[in-house]
Amino acid sequence: MLLAFLAGNGMAQTCQCETDTVRLGLNFKQNSTSIDSLYAGNGESLARMRNIIGDSCRDISTIRIWGSTSPEGPKRVNEAKAMQRAEAMRDLALSYGAPDSLIHFDANLLEWPDATPVDYPSLRAAYIMMATCSKAAARQSTPAQPATPFDTESAALEEEAETDTIAVAEEYPAPTTSERGRYFSLSARANLLRWATLTPDVGLELRFRRHYALVVHGSWTTWSWNGKERRYALREIAPELRYYIGKECRGYVGVMYKVGAFNYKFSEFGKQGNILGGGLTGGYVLPLNRCLDLDFTLGLGYLHAHYDRYNVISSVRVRQGKGEKNWWGPIAAGVTLTWKLF
């Protein structure tokens, strides 16, 4: 009886499910958040990831995903970039059939204080760690103190830290659902086309979601010449709500509202009044470096202007009537320099 008990106990221990932890990484080009299967050996990692997720003979107990960037640029920009890369990895895992309920999406930025520029290309990455178990072994395993996926994951991470110079040496807490969509950045803007017409134009862009942004531009100028016989003055504010398209978030569409006041006098009679309108916008953002972009914008819509007509007699404005005008067509254009603050 004792021998049978010992034999049975030993058999149960040898049949326990052994959890395998697989860690894969995908590399990204600088400033990119799109997965390129032909870049830096990504093809092999993609094939392994597809095979593991699609293996019908193994169960996946947990999946952890996180992103990484090289340390150039502001920290908030790097955090956003790392999150976008992690999101791209998560979307890929879902497309391969991974259950969303098993994915722990980590929004934390991995920092590499000892990294040198030589290491930077290898730091622009996203990582996935999958804890898997053979279905046959799982059916024979005993319930006596089973190893949890997180215990196995921590042990695997400690072992990798000795041989992998960029291995993750600590376990991050699983983020909440709200953290998965977190994205925040603030940029200062200057419309170079407006500045070319001697109309100072500045603005701010607030990215509160990966694909959504609120942009506000303001313009102000006042010029007079020829003894104040000629005048050009403008005050304008234009808020805009944008939706950025695709994983790279370069192209966008949006809606704009515009309100302002003007005073033009380029001939015998001048016009002074207010404008009001809005429309649809579209454009493309061209990255220059880590902090600077060029934003090409065109807006189409409707503007209504009502004004007073006047002429100047002995330096005094004399009203000559009033008028109004409706305009359908281009209402905004810009080549805007954007500086990412954080």
Side-chain angles (χ1 to χ4, degrees), residues 130-285:
M130 296 174 284
T132 67
C133 179
S134 171
K135 291 183 177 179
R139 285 193 296 267
Q140 300 174 11
S141 63
T142 64
Q145 298 180 347
T148 66
F150 297 103
D151 293 336
T152 306
E153 179 182 329
S154 299
L157 286 175
E158 292 176 0
E159 181 180 350
E160 288 185 16
E162 299 178 357
T163 57
D164 190 347
T165 59
I166 63 169
V168 181
E170 62 179 325
E171 182 180 332
Y172 296 106
T176 63
T177 303
S178 60
E179 286 178 319
R180 298 185 179 186
R182 187 184 65 186
Y183 188 106
F184 178 86
S185 68
L186 183 66
S187 302
R189 302 166 54 86
N191 189 337
L192 303 183
L193 289 185
R194 280 290 180 90
W195 282 88
T197 62
L198 303 180
T199 305
D201 179 285
V202 294
L204 291 173
E205 178 176 359
L206 175 65
R207 293 282 291 274
F208 53 91
R209 282 282 189 267
R210 181 184 174 192
H211 293 280
Y212 292 92
L214 178 64
V215 180
V216 179
H217 269 264
S219 302
W220 181 90
T221 190
T222 178
W223 296 90
S224 61
W225 62 96
N226 195 19
K228 295 189 177 181
E229 284 292 326
R230 299 293 182 263
R231 187 171 182 82
Y232 165 59
L234 176 67
R235 300 188 305 273
E236 185 178 277
I237 185 168
E240 176 188 358
L241 182 63
R242 289 183 175 180
Y243 177 79
Y244 284 90
I245 302 170
K247 292 185 177 180
E248 287 289 339
C249 294
R250 299 302 179 197
Y252 61 85
V253 293
V255 291
M256 171 186 286
Y257 175 76
K258 180 177 288 193
V259 62
F262 62 90
N263 187 354
Y264 302 147
K265 188 177 187 298
F266 302 126
S267 59
E268 179 182 358
F269 293 96
K271 297 179 180 180
Q272 180 177 4
N274 300 310
I275 56 174
L276 180 69
L280 303 178
T281 60
Y284 181 81
V285 177

Side-chain angles (χ1 to χ4, degrees), residues 6-327:
L6 293 175
N9 187 47
M11 183 178 298
Q13 290 180 353
T14 58
C15 292
Q16 287 183 355
C17 175
E18 296 183 359
T19 302
D20 295 328
T21 301
V22 181
R23 177 177 174 272
L24 300 173
L26 295 177
N27 297 302
F28 291 78
K29 298 178 182 178
Q30 186 173 8
N31 293 323
S32 175
T33 58
S34 293
I35 296 174
D36 186 347
S37 61
L38 303 179
Y39 180 69
N42 284 345
E44 181 180 350
S45 296
L46 290 172
R48 288 189 63 193
M49 180 177 168
R50 183 187 298 109
N51 291 337
I52 292 171
I53 294 177
D55 189 351
S56 60
C57 295
R58 301 191 69 83
D59 282 324
I60 299 177
S61 57
T62 186
I63 298 175
R64 178 151 295 177
I65 294 174
W66 64 95
S68 171
T69 64
S70 50
E72 313 102 311
K75 182 176 180 180
R76 293 303 298 267
V77 175
N78 289 344
E79 288 177 342
K81 190 79 65 180
M83 183 180 305
Q84 293 177 42
R85 288 170 177 170
E87 288 176 342
M89 178 72 88
R90 181 191 63 187
D91 293 342
L92 184 66
L94 293 175
S95 71
Y96 288 164
D100 188 37
S101 59
L102 299 181
I103 296 178
H104 297 276
F105 183 77
D106 204 326
N108 293 304
L109 171 66
L110 302 183
E111 297 182 346
W112 316 103
D114 299 327
T116 65
V118 177
D119 303 317
Y120 288 177
S122 63
L123 305 183
R124 303 172 187 131
Y127 302 95
I128 183 169
M129 181 169 287
M130 296 174 284
T132 67
C133 179
S134 171
K135 291 183 177 179
R139 285 193 296 267
Q140 300 174 11
S141 63
T142 64
Q145 298 180 347
T148 66
F150 297 103
D151 293 336
T152 306
E153 179 182 329
S154 299
L157 286 175
E158 292 176 0
E159 181 180 350
E160 288 185 16
E162 299 178 357
T163 57
D164 190 347
T165 59
I166 63 169
V168 181
E170 62 179 325
E171 182 180 332
Y172 296 106
T176 63
T177 303
S178 60
E179 286 178 319
R180 298 185 179 186
R182 187 184 65 186
Y183 188 106
F184 178 86
S185 68
L186 183 66
S187 302
R189 302 166 54 86
N191 189 337
L192 303 183
L193 289 185
R194 280 290 180 90
W195 282 88
T197 62
L198 303 180
T199 305
D201 179 285
V202 294
L204 291 173
E205 178 176 359
L206 175 65
R207 293 282 291 274
F208 53 91
R209 282 282 189 267
R210 181 184 174 192
H211 293 280
Y212 292 92
L214 178 64
V215 180
V216 179
H217 269 264
S219 302
W220 181 90
T221 190
T222 178
W223 296 90
S224 61
W225 62 96
N226 195 19
K228 295 189 177 181
E229 284 292 326
R230 299 293 182 263
R231 187 171 182 82
Y232 165 59
L234 176 67
R235 300 188 305 273
E236 185 178 277
I237 185 168
E240 176 188 358
L241 182 63
R242 289 183 175 180
Y243 177 79
Y244 284 90
I245 302 170
K247 292 185 177 180
E248 287 289 339
C249 294
R250 299 302 179 197
Y252 61 85
V253 293
V255 291
M256 171 186 286
Y257 175 76
K258 180 177 288 193
V259 62
F262 62 90
N263 187 354
Y264 302 147
K265 188 177 187 298
F266 302 126
S267 59
E268 179 182 358
F269 293 96
K271 297 179 180 180
Q272 180 177 4
N274 300 310
I275 56 174
L276 180 69
L280 303 178
T281 60
Y284 181 81
V285 177
L286 176 66
L288 301 179
N289 57 36
R290 296 282 294 181
C291 296
L292 295 177
D293 295 333
L294 270 183
D295 183 352
F296 299 90
T297 308
L298 180 64
L300 301 175
Y302 167 78
L303 285 178
H304 174 75
H306 59 91
Y307 54 85
D308 293 329
R309 296 177 69 250
Y310 69 91
N311 62 359
V312 178
I313 302 175
S314 300
S315 300
V316 178
R317 296 180 192 174
V318 180
R319 183 182 177 187
Q320 300 294 329
K322 60 181 181 179
E324 62 180 36
K325 186 174 183 179
N326 297 307
W327 166 260

